[in-house]
Amino acid sequence: MKTTEMTTTRGKDQFYPTPPSIAEKMLAGLDMMYVRSVLEPSAGKGDLIDAIGRKNLAMYQYDRAIEVDFCEIDPYLRQICKYNFSAEKKAEILEEWRPLQQKSFSALTESEKQKYRMLDNHLDLFRKTAVRCVHDDFLTFRTYKHYDLILMNPPFAEGDLHLLRAIEMQQRQGGSIVCLLNAETIRNPYTSTRAQLAAKLKELSADIQFVENAFSTDAERRADVDVAIIRIHILPLMKVTFGSA
């Protein structure tokens, strides 16, 4: 089913899967050496999870894996996301991969070679990315786990609340945030929460990159909207210790 036809409890105005070109911009410059644990607070069907997994695979194909926890408030999308990274999905890919793997690579047609590479890459992604659902509504999610990175494309109407919650989490032990927001949330801070967010972003020296018409080209759901890609790095708090007198 195409996402433009989905009926979700978020409402159609709130579900915009991250376009591949925007996911690439969000992850540009990110060194995966420092990322082992990731939280995706509004996963949808898993586009950003797939993107971060492939980023890790491209940079460190053989020697490291990452953990990705996710929240998704919509039960329909949550089930899709679970399935996309499930053992069942992996088994389906293996079923397609095995007949090609048993042949000599030189005997494969060009289309079979292309399919083999795609399936083999997808299996590598499963091996190097551990994905689990940890909660439904991110705004009520409570955990003691530390995440190196919170990677998020929250519902546009509540983007300020979601980003403030992510900042609150990362300020406990330090960590990074990469967030996609409706540009109006930043450009027009007319509510108290938007004003609070603006002050927080300034305090944390956030990097803000505006992208015009971000959902007009390779997006599954097209929209005439500008977005802001926000990058925040929060250093861990210094712990003061006292030696014996």
Side-chain angles (χ1 to χ4, degrees):
M1 182 181 294
K2 292 184 180 297
T3 55
T4 49
E5 299 168 352
M6 286 181 181
T7 300
T8 75
T9 54
R10 282 200 206 181
K12 287 189 176 182
D13 291 341
Q14 298 306 307
F15 177 53
Y16 285 87
T18 311
S21 61
I22 296 300
E24 184 177 350
K25 283 183 170 65
M26 292 175 73
L27 298 175
L30 179 66
D31 189 345
M32 293 299 298
M33 175 64 72
Y34 302 100
V35 179
R36 293 279 184 166
S37 57
V38 181
L39 175 65
E40 217 291 31
S42 306
K45 57 187 180 60
D47 295 273
L48 280 179
I49 297 174
D50 185 76
I52 192 71
R54 293 187 185 281
K55 174 85 172 182
N56 178 61
L57 191 62
M59 295 185 74
Y60 301 99
Q61 186 167 6
Y62 301 109
D63 60 349
R64 70 192 306 276
I66 59 171
E67 295 180 351
V68 183
D69 292 350
F70 76 88
C71 304
E72 174 49 55
I73 194 169
D74 183 272
Y76 178 65
L77 295 173
R78 188 165 61 247
Q79 286 304 115
I80 291 176
C81 194
K82 285 181 179 180
Y83 166 74
N84 283 340
F85 303 96
S86 66
E88 180 184 357
K89 179 68 173 180
K90 182 180 179 181
E92 291 178 5
I93 294 170
L94 276 168
E95 190 175 348
E96 290 188 74
W97 175 82
R98 284 196 184 100
L100 298 172
Q101 193 270 339
Q102 290 167 359
K103 295 181 181 180
S104 168
F105 190 75
S106 60
L108 299 175
T109 66
E110 285 305 314
S111 61
E112 286 176 329
K113 288 178 181 178
Q114 185 177 1
K115 183 178 181 180
Y116 175 81
R117 292 189 190 99
M118 179 190 70
L119 294 172
D120 198 55
N121 184 264
H122 207 147
L123 289 172
D124 277 341
L125 188 65
F126 271 97
R127 284 190 283 268
K128 296 297 183 181
T129 314
V131 180
R132 65 173 186 153
C133 178
V134 292
H135 197 57
D136 47 14
D137 185 357
F138 173 60
L139 295 180
T140 64
F141 178 52
R142 298 293 180 268
T143 181
Y144 291 104
K145 183 173 180 177
H146 169 254
Y147 293 101
D148 301 315
L149 173 67
I150 298 179
L151 180 66
M152 56 196 303
N153 173 9
F156 279 1
E158 295 183 324
D160 48 359
L161 294 174
H162 282 244
L163 183 49
L164 284 168
R165 174 72 185 118
I167 291 171
E168 178 189 346
M169 286 183 63
Q170 295 300 67
Q171 283 188 312
R172 294 179 311 190
Q173 300 183 61
S176 298
I177 302 169
V178 180
C179 178
L180 184 71
L181 285 187
N182 186 332
E184 280 300 298
T185 303
I186 304 300
R187 290 170 172 166
N188 188 14
Y190 68 92
T191 67
S192 59
T193 51
R194 286 189 182 187
Q196 181 184 351
L197 177 60
K200 206 67 174 169
L201 295 179
K202 183 177 181 180
E203 173 192 329
L204 296 171
S205 301
D207 175 75
I208 303 175
Q209 174 189 2
F210 290 102
V211 182
E212 296 182 353
N213 299 317
F215 287 79
S216 62
T217 53
D218 58 343
E220 290 184 42
R221 289 197 63 206
R222 298 192 177 188
D224 182 16
V225 62
D226 296 346
V227 300
I229 297 174
I230 300 170
R231 299 178 181 87
I232 306 169
H233 181 63
I234 301 173
L235 296 174
L237 295 174
M238 295 293 291
K239 294 183 179 179
V240 179
T241 59
F242 297 90
S244 59

